[in-house]
Amino acid sequence: MRLFLSKSLVQAFRLPLWGHVADETPPQWLVTRIQSGELELNSLGGLTMGTPFGAQSCVAGDIVIFYADNSIGFEKPETFERDFAPVQDLQQAA
């Protein structure tokens, strides 16, 4: 068996904890999906979305990830810090 590492560019937004203000303005891709009902606010201060395998949820303080293929995912902060690195030098496309 061979193992492969996939590197992809993602956008991420950290949901604020209860009673706190978000570190940044929510991105348009997140706002649009909440407005459309694809993502719903849940009682844990996070989001819930339907998938072909059932509902997937996150809680306040988790990271919402927007992948290059237009899909959404959720990660715990510890997992996100371990598996993703910030882009240091993003070159402008010509």
Side-chain angles (χ1 to χ4, degrees), residues 6-88:
S6 172
K7 294 183 180 181
S8 62
L9 186 63
V10 301
Q11 293 181 30
F13 178 76
R14 182 184 302 264
L15 295 173
L17 296 171
W18 279 103
H20 291 85
V21 176
D23 296 333
E24 58 184 328
T25 303
Q28 188 60 44
W29 54 262
L30 181 58
V31 173
T32 300
R33 285 193 157 100
I34 292 171
Q35 289 174 334
S36 73
E38 183 180 339
L39 294 173
E40 296 178 2
L41 298 173
N42 62 35
S43 61
L44 302 173
L47 299 169
T48 299
M49 70 177 171
T51 72
F53 308 105
Q56 183 179 12
S57 297
C58 68
V59 299
D62 283 351
I63 311 293
V64 183
I65 300 173
F66 180 66
Y67 292 97
D69 67 356
N70 204 31
S71 64
I72 298 287
F74 304 129
E75 291 286 347
K76 295 290 181 199
E78 311 80 44
T79 306
F80 183 79
E81 297 291 329
R82 181 191 70 211
D83 295 343
F84 294 88
V87 174
Q88 299 297 328

Side-chain angles (χ1 to χ4, degrees), residues 1-6:
M1 177 172 83
R2 295 173 55 195
L3 300 176
F4 297 89
L5 178 62
S6 172

